[in-house]
Amino acid sequence: MQIVDSHCHINFEPLAGDFPGLLNRASEKQVTHMLCVSVNLEDFPQVLNLAHEHENIFASVGVHPCYTECEDPSTARLVALAEDPKIIAIGETGLDYFRNEGDLSWQRERFVRHIEAAKITGKPLIIHTREAADDTMLTLKNEDAESAGGVMHCFAEDWGVAEKALDIGFYISFSGIITFKSAEQLREVARKVPLDRMLVETDSPYLAPVPMRGKTNEPSYVRHTAEFLAGLRGMSLEQMAEITTENFFNLFSGAVKPAG
Ligand SMILES: [Zn+2]
Ligand SMILES: [Zn+2]
């Protein structure tokens, strides 16, 4: 069995401080691959290093919508950084009206540059959206993000938003949120998303799934999310692992699929 953690921040503390332990625990739980997602360019060299040092770790390049005190890259800069073969995606990018206030046109402009970079490089987008679903989906549509493809990471929106994402060919990634007691609406969505469009992720070190809730999340815990999702869809963990792993390598075609 192989499970992929499609979105983690293993360069963040406290995860980075116990890296060998983290990798061991992941491999014990058959979490064989992970995508370490960039949130700014200042930390990007670290993220890229992890991907270079470990065959089973992939990376993305991008600047998260919530980061304000950092380099705000041009499209050309993103394209240049994405040239490395271990960079398999652009992001995380998107819109977040929860943590930022005031005139957020800078956030939308940054988002558009990321979409342009994805279209130029052919590397799919990792989309973060929070309290900004309408603008996020409209921007993806208007900027023809469909031609680059991508994933709605840590999905926590309703079925209407999921449908819009599916309509433009995007994948939906479920995190530990799906296991939370309060997430019944999200579970409704997860029961309906086509099986060939689902991914699983930790978004670690945040959002540890039940029964690890409250602990520091890490890639090995994605197994709990996959198991929970399997239960929702009436299948075994092994089947869900196979489906979501297949989906991961279909979406991120730059990631070299393991043999066997
Ligand atoms: Zn995010
Ligand atoms: Zn993230």
Side-chain angles (χ1 to χ4, degrees), residues 5 8 10 14 22 33 37 63 69 81 120 130 135-136 145 150 153 160 179 193 200 206 232 249 253 260:
D5 183 356
C8 57
I10 47 182
L22 174 151
H33 293 79
V37 175
V63 180
E69 307 297 317
L81 291 173
I120 293 168
R130 192 161 181 199
D135 284 2
T136 300
H153 111 83
T179 69
V193 170
V200 285
Y206 316 113
L232 277 186
F249 288 101
S253 54

Side-chain angles (χ1 to χ4, degrees), residues 79 82 87-90 114-125 147-150 251-254:
V79 168
I87 303 298
I88 61 167
I90 306 294
H114 281 74
I115 298 172
E116 285 170 349
K119 289 195 290 185
I120 293 168
T121 59
K123 301 192 179 189
L125 289 154
S147 60
L251 171 60
F252 300 110
S253 54

Side-chain angles (χ1 to χ4, degrees), residues 81-257:
L81 291 173
E83 245 172 52
D84 189 289
K86 285 304 288 274
I87 303 298
I88 61 167
I90 306 294
E92 56 186 292
T93 182
L95 300 173
D96 192 319
Y97 297 167
F98 177 74
R99 278 191 281 182
N100 296 98
E101 284 178 346
D103 177 9
L104 297 179
S105 49
W106 60 270
Q107 222 184 51
R108 289 184 284 275
E109 284 158 18
R110 179 187 289 175
F111 184 24
V112 169
R113 292 195 298 274
H114 281 74
I115 298 172
E116 285 170 349
K119 289 195 290 185
I120 293 168
T121 59
K123 301 192 179 189
L125 289 154
I126 299 169
I127 303 298
H128 170 108
T129 184
R130 192 161 181 199
E131 294 193 4
D134 288 351
D135 284 2
T136 300
M137 300 321 295
L138 199 65
T139 306
L140 288 172
K141 191 148 189 77
N142 290 345
E143 300 299 322
D144 184 33
E146 182 165 7
S147 60
V151 57
M152 306 300 293
H153 111 83
C154 200
F155 194 79
E157 305 291 335
D158 62 17
W159 176 246
V161 178
E163 251 186 329
K164 283 185 187 145
L166 292 166
D167 274 351
I168 57 165
F170 273 50
Y171 289 63
I172 309 279
S173 179
F174 294 103
S175 68
I177 293 176
I178 196 135
T179 69
F180 297 175
K181 213 173 182 172
S182 57
E184 192 45 48
Q185 182 194 279
L186 186 59
R187 284 189 280 277
E188 276 308 309
V189 173
R191 287 185 186 101
K192 289 198 276 190
V193 170
L195 288 173
D196 61 357
R197 298 285 194 87
M198 289 194 319
L199 297 177
V200 285
E201 66 171 81
T202 56
D203 204 12
S204 50
Y206 316 113
L207 297 168
V210 173
M212 300 302 179
R213 196 166 180 188
K215 293 191 179 167
T216 298
N217 202 0
E218 62 170 47
S220 68
Y221 294 178
V222 79
R223 185 183 175 121
H224 296 291
T225 303
E227 198 159 21
F228 189 91
L229 201 54
L232 277 186
R233 300 300 294 248
M235 57 175 66
S236 67
L237 169 63
E238 285 74 13
Q239 286 170 310
M240 185 52 77
E242 193 180 333
I243 287 168
T244 51
T245 297
E246 183 76 21
N247 292 346
F248 178 86
F249 288 101
N250 282 342
L251 171 60
F252 300 110
S253 54
V256 179
K257 199 176 174 176

